[in-house]
Amino acid sequence: AKVQGSWEPTELKAKATMWGNELAGAGINVNLAPVADTVPSAAFAPSNAPIGHFGRQFGFTPQAVSTSSMAFSEGMLAAGVEPVVKHFPGLGRVTKNTDVASDVTDTNTTRHDDYLQPFRDAIEAGNQWVMVSNAYYSKIDAENIAPFSGTIMRDMLRSDLGFEGIIVSDDVCEANQLSPWGLGDRALRFFEAGGTML
């Protein structure tokens, strides 16, 4: 995405349409992309373990990320493949990766944060899939990780942003962030909090 974010939106959409056609040709109709997380700066990117470290960010402002993630999504949709905008409400400000670390917490993002713009724009454009991150968001719901948070899924996604589509979890089987809970608990708490697809 770091490279794709340097392309003009028309070029990115055209290439995403090509990639989408390849996926559709293989019988795949959902793509767990694009990453809509905003990493705040190039200087911080190496410290952002889940996104910036791997160059998964389209840019360093919500507007830049929104422009590129929308172009990517439009290309996928043109090929008949549903894009999944992730990782709501954003993993661009954390330092640890929920896949391999525990107690991963975002201490910056708020319920009406400017960094929600790429997700808001995708939903307003009609995107039907959003993936929720596995992090804690101390300024939103300090009690629950995002996939267990009704505040994040019901209040923010459904009520604030008017999302009516599918809320899919990130990896809740192998991710270290979920290690304190048994597998059954993980599933029940996700669905009870408003999730759609585990």
Side-chain angles (χ1 to χ4, degrees):
K2 183 179 178 183
V3 173
Q4 294 169 20
S6 69
W7 301 341
E8 289 297 319
T10 50
E11 180 183 4
L12 179 51
K13 179 181 176 180
K15 290 192 174 181
T17 302
M18 178 184 71
W19 302 326
N21 283 325
E22 291 173 346
L23 291 173
I28 296 168
N29 61 8
V30 176
N31 183 3
L32 300 180
V35 167
D37 310 290
T38 303
V39 177
S41 69
F44 179 68
S47 302
N48 175 233
I51 309 299
H53 174 76
F54 296 106
R56 300 173 73 196
Q57 74 282 359
F58 281 115
F60 298 107
T61 66
Q63 181 56 56
V65 171
S66 182
T67 297
S68 294
S69 62
M70 292 276 283
F72 182 94
S73 293
E74 288 168 6
M76 285 291 143
L77 287 167
V81 175
E82 291 286 334
V84 180
V85 181
K86 63 184 186 182
H87 309 79
F88 188 83
L91 277 177
R93 290 159 153 171
V94 299
T95 54
K96 296 190 292 184
N97 187 336
T98 57
D99 289 340
V100 295
S102 58
D103 295 319
V104 180
T105 303
D106 175 316
T107 58
N108 294 290
T109 303
T110 61
R111 181 165 171 175
H112 303 287
D113 206 282
D114 289 344
Y115 278 41
L116 298 177
Q117 180 185 346
F119 300 100
R120 183 182 301 108
D121 291 347
I123 290 165
E124 288 177 357
N127 187 287
Q128 292 299 302
W129 293 70
V130 171
M131 180 186 288
V132 174
S133 104
N134 280 335
Y136 281 100
Y137 293 85
S138 61
K139 290 186 176 177
I140 298 172
D141 182 351
E143 303 278 317
N144 299 292
I145 57 174
F148 299 165
S149 174
T151 302
I152 287 172
M153 292 193 284
R154 287 200 175 95
D155 297 344
M156 291 177 68
L157 266 176
R158 298 295 190 204
S159 297
D160 296 351
L161 300 184
F163 183 61
E164 297 179 348
I166 296 165
I167 300 174
V168 62
S169 74
D170 201 345
D171 173 17
V172 295
C173 294
E174 300 296 333
N176 202 57
Q177 178 86 334
L178 280 291
S179 58
W181 298 276
L183 291 173
D185 253 359
R186 300 175 199 185
L188 287 171
R189 293 187 66 166
F190 174 70
F191 291 122
E192 286 170 353
T196 309
M197 181 179 287
L198 195 67

